[in-house]
Amino acid sequence: MTEYLLLFISAVFVNNILLAQFLGNCPFIGVSNKVSTALGMAMAVVFVITISSMFTWMSVKYLLIPLELEYLQTIAFILIIATLVQFVEIFIQKVSPTLFRTLGIYLPLITTNCAVLGVSIINIRNEYDFMHTLVHSFSAAVGFGLALVLFAGIRERHALCDIPKPLRGTSLALITAGLLALTFSAFKGLL
Amino acid sequence: MKTLRQEFTKGFTEQLPPFKLVLGLCPTLAVTTSLEGGLGMGLATLFVLIMSNLVISALRNLIPKKVRIAAFITVIAGFVVIVELLMKAYTPQLFDILGVFISLIVVNCIVLGRAEAFAKKNNAVRSILDGAGIGLGFTLSLGVLGFIREVLGRGSVTLFSQANLKFQLLPVTDGYFFKLAVEPPGAFLFLGLILFFINLASMRQEGKKTSYS
């Protein structure tokens, strides 16, 4: 149990997927102007990363390794993720229209979010078993969501400030992200 | 219509990624802890860009519109696997430095972006030039960022870690480390600052133009 707890804390705070491992930075800079959209995106990402890394793990264990096709890993993963996202979209639309309204528009964007593919590959590289894969992917996604929502909160404040012209837009967003990453690096002492 | 030369040079002038065309941020931030990492990543992306642009533009009339994104991703993934296997075999150290980011070229928005915005509408020659230009621009940007961060963070630059060619550029002792530059927060800060200076320079230029006219 402690082992899983440590894995959770390390993935959320210490090795934060956005701020320490640089996965999924495009939506981080792109879709983070409002807390409400950031929350929707964060939920969709937690959902997709957890499910897709389960499937990619199983595909490696039961398909690619027995058939000795490990070199096809990248192609297999991206196809699994793309199909899965499409499937999840249709499924949610059918089962829960309310949930679809909150998550719907973010789902297609997630296919090209490198965090999804990245987490799947990291799981395989670290040779996690199924439970570790599950816990690690879920906590990495929670870390993504946490950073995204915090960042969106800061950017909402920026909208009200008088910012020097050359700093506006991506430039200030990146510097803010740098300061946020600096804060998160303080968690290193935690483990 | 742009001339062939313009198709090539736009990659390091008005569409220079990731500074002018803010795409492909993940590899930019992650691998630029050293000059070597930045250049290696840039060259790998350059190869994938040229080859995928070539194949996609050659097949542009055969790929049905509705499944084009899936088709593009499959083509790109194929070339990424080629790069992965080649690097694993010939430059294992560089492969270790770049790690998961080699596989992640598949989802690099620059590559898919060029396929969608350029290769599906233009012929093969133009697409190759476009890919080469954008890819070289990306390599150059990553090299510059990697160089700045490595010099500030370690005081020296190492090229070809297999041969271990090390150039001491700053007169520093072993105890000196401006560690922030090579750590994750430094990536965001330095890229943000470079963007700031580029914006500042282009605003100065525009200001001059308007004051003269």
Side-chain angles (χ1 to χ4, degrees):
Chain A
M1 202 58 222
T2 0
E3 195 188 345
Y4 294 126
L5 193 67
L6 281 178
L7 190 61
F8 178 78
I9 291 173
S10 109
V12 174
F13 296 110
V14 184
N15 293 314
N16 188 287
I17 187 169
L18 264 174
L19 300 168
Q21 305 201 48
F22 307 113
L23 294 169
N25 272 292
C26 295
F28 183 54
I29 303 293
V31 221
S32 58
N33 288 319
K34 277 164 77 186
V35 173
S36 54
T37 44
L39 260 176
M41 184 73 180
M43 270 149 64
V45 165
V46 171
F47 199 64
V48 171
I49 287 188
T50 313
I51 294 180
S52 70
S53 54
M54 269 159 48
F55 275 91
T56 47
W57 187 87
M58 285 193 279
S59 78
V60 169
K61 183 87 180 167
Y62 298 114
L63 212 65
L64 295 181
I65 290 179
L67 296 173
E68 293 179 357
L69 288 172
E70 286 103 321
Y71 58 89
L72 287 181
Q73 187 180 302
T74 313
I75 299 185
F77 279 15
I78 193 75
L79 290 177
I80 290 174
I81 291 168
T83 328
L84 205 72
V85 171
Q86 199 89 64
F87 180 74
V88 167
E89 198 180 344
I90 297 169
F91 184 75
I92 294 183
Q93 198 172 11
K94 201 83 188 161
V95 175
S96 163
T98 6
L99 189 63
F100 184 75
R101 245 172 283 140
T102 27
L103 300 188
I105 43 167
Y106 305 106
L107 284 171
L109 288 175
I110 290 177
T111 318
T112 52
N113 182 339
C114 48
V116 184
L117 185 59
V119 170
S120 299
I121 295 175
I122 291 171
N123 285 333
I124 303 302
R125 282 196 159 209
N126 291 351
E127 294 174 354
Y128 285 147
D129 60 19
F130 189 72
M131 264 324 275
H132 280 91
T133 300
L134 201 63
V135 174
H136 173 254
S137 331
F138 175 73
S139 30
V142 169
F144 179 94
L146 180 69
L148 189 68
V149 172
L150 282 175
F151 188 56
I154 301 174
R155 286 188 90 180
E156 267 190 355
R157 296 272 176 112
H158 281 169
L160 304 172
C161 300
D162 183 22
I163 299 159
K165 241 185 177 174
L167 268 176
R168 277 180 203 171
T170 323
S171 174
L172 186 67
L174 283 166
I175 294 174
T176 314
L179 295 176
L180 196 59
L182 207 55
T183 325
F184 266 71
S185 70
F187 285 118
K188 261 183 198 156
L190 212 60
L191 286 185
Chain B
M1 201 70 183
K2 280 181 176 159
T3 62
L4 290 179
R5 176 195 269 272
Q6 279 171 329
E7 296 293 11
F8 180 63
T9 54
K10 68 166 187 252
F12 27 95
T13 50
E14 80 250 39
Q15 293 200 24
L16 176 74
F19 299 135
K20 287 290 171 74
L21 200 70
V22 187
L23 289 175
L25 284 179
C26 305
T28 310
L29 293 165
V31 303
T32 51
T33 48
S34 65
L35 175 64
E36 195 189 15
L39 287 180
M41 186 69 210
L43 291 176
T45 315
L46 172 71
F47 172 78
V48 175
L49 250 174
I50 295 179
M51 297 310 284
S52 69
N53 261 11
L54 167 68
V55 170
I56 287 166
S57 70
L59 296 175
R60 68 186 185 280
N61 296 326
L62 296 174
I63 298 175
K65 261 225 163 81
K66 278 193 176 161
V67 293
R68 64 172 195 284
I69 300 286
F72 294 169
I73 288 187
T74 319
V75 170
I76 294 167
F79 286 111
V80 171
V81 173
I82 294 175
V83 172
E84 238 176 336
L85 295 176
L86 283 176
M87 288 187 87
K88 215 187 240 176
Y90 293 105
T91 55
Q93 264 132 339
L94 189 59
F95 184 78
D96 283 340
I97 297 175
L98 299 180
V100 36
F101 286 92
I102 290 290
S103 314
L104 287 178
I105 298 176
V106 180
V107 281
N108 187 328
C109 355
I110 296 176
V111 184
L112 192 62
R114 288 334 282 173
E116 176 71 13
F118 197 90
K120 73 163 191 198
K121 295 179 249 179
N122 289 281
N123 66 26
V125 178
R126 277 175 185 277
S127 301
I128 291 179
L129 286 175
D130 174 79
I134 299 272
L136 278 177
F138 188 58
T139 312
L140 206 73
S141 313
L142 290 194
V144 169
L145 190 58
F147 181 76
I148 296 176
R149 287 182 64 194
E150 192 174 7
V151 169
L152 289 178
R154 301 205 185 87
S156 61
V157 168
T158 310
L159 269 184
F160 305 109
S161 38
Q162 266 144 324
N164 206 10
L165 281 170
K166 196 173 167 191
F167 302 98
Q168 195 73 28
L169 293 176
L170 292 180
V172 292
T173 53
D174 284 340
Y176 166 91
F177 280 118
F178 179 51
K179 258 181 127 183
L180 180 66
V182 285
E183 282 197 356
F188 289 108
L189 290 174
F190 277 89
L191 189 58
L193 285 175
I194 290 180
L195 275 174
F196 165 70
F197 284 120
I198 289 178
N199 286 347
L200 199 65
S202 61
M203 266 172 202
R204 283 258 166 92
Q205 257 177 356
E206 267 169 38
K208 263 184 200 164
K209 267 182 212 157
T210 45
S211 61
Y212 284 135
S213 61

